[in-house]
């Protein structure tokens, strides 16, 4: 084995029909829960957007709700994955810029913001990967027909 291919037992586990949907749901779970929570507590979502200097806050809150819920459903249901993942990725870029501005902080606050910044960067990378994987699977399916 060259180290490029997973062991057979890993491939067998990953081939289970429940693994893909569960992993996609896990990937977007924070967005989906966040979008639902913002929708149910819209006044708090507006206050959050205002706190981070995003105006008009109500518009930003509504956009966040729409992108978090619709984008998550696109990824989970594998429909327009590129659009859902792209929207979630862009929302995450905005969040990184306004909420994780480690370059303006010091001490423990800087440490926490820096960690969060790179955690969010990892989420964006995972959203890109889920889009690449979905495209590869769709192309492979087209080629089989």
């Amino acid at each position: 084995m060259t180290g490029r291919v997973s062991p057979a037992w890993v491939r067998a586990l990953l081939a289970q029909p429940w693994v893909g949907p569960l992993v996609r749901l896990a990937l977007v779970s924070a967005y989906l829960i966040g979008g639902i929570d913002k929708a149910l507590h819209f006044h708090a979502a507006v206050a959050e957007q205002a706190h981070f200097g995003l105006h008009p806050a109500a518009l930003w809150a509504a956009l966040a709700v729409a992108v978090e819920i619709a984008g998550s459903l696109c990824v989970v249901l594998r429909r327009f994955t590129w659009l859902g993942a792209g929207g979630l990725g862009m929302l995450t870029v905005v969040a990184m810029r306004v909420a994780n501005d480690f370059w303006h902080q010091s001490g423990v606050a800087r440490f926490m913001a820096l960690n969060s910044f790179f955690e969010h960067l990892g989420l964006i990378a995972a959203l890109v990967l889920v889009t690449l994987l979905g495209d590869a699977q769709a192309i492979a399916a087209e080629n089989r027909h």
Side-chain angles (χ1 to χ4, degrees):
M1 183 171 289
T2 65
R4 293 183 181 195
V5 177
S6 302
W9 68 269
V10 172
R11 289 194 313 272
L13 175 64
L14 295 178
Q16 297 301 307
W18 52 268
V19 171
L22 181 63
V23 170
R24 287 190 302 277
L25 180 60
L27 173 61
V28 299
S29 62
Y31 297 108
L32 186 57
I33 291 168
I36 292 168
D37 191 48
K38 284 178 181 72
L40 293 174
H41 305 101
F42 193 70
H43 62 283
V46 172
E48 177 187 43
Q49 302 305 314
H51 168 77
F52 288 118
L54 297 172
H55 298 287
L59 175 62
W60 281 98
L63 285 171
V65 168
V67 170
E68 286 180 333
I69 293 173
S72 295
L73 291 175
C74 287
V75 171
V76 170
L77 300 174
R78 295 179 63 196
R79 299 290 181 259
F80 299 100
T81 302
W82 64 271
L83 183 60
L88 293 171
M90 292 308 298
L91 182 75
T92 304
V93 167
V94 172
M96 290 167 64
R97 175 74 175 94
V98 300
N100 303 128
D101 59 341
F102 64 89
W103 51 90
H104 289 130
Q105 300 177 25
S106 61
V108 173
R110 181 184 186 284
F111 177 80
M112 292 173 58
L114 181 68
N115 281 342
S116 186
F117 182 92
F118 283 100
E119 287 169 357
H120 284 86
L121 186 61
L123 274 172
I124 293 169
L127 290 165
V128 170
L129 287 173
V130 79
T131 303
L132 288 171
L133 179 60
D135 283 354
Q137 289 172 337
I139 291 168
E142 287 175 6
N143 289 335
R144 283 193 296 268
H145 299 303

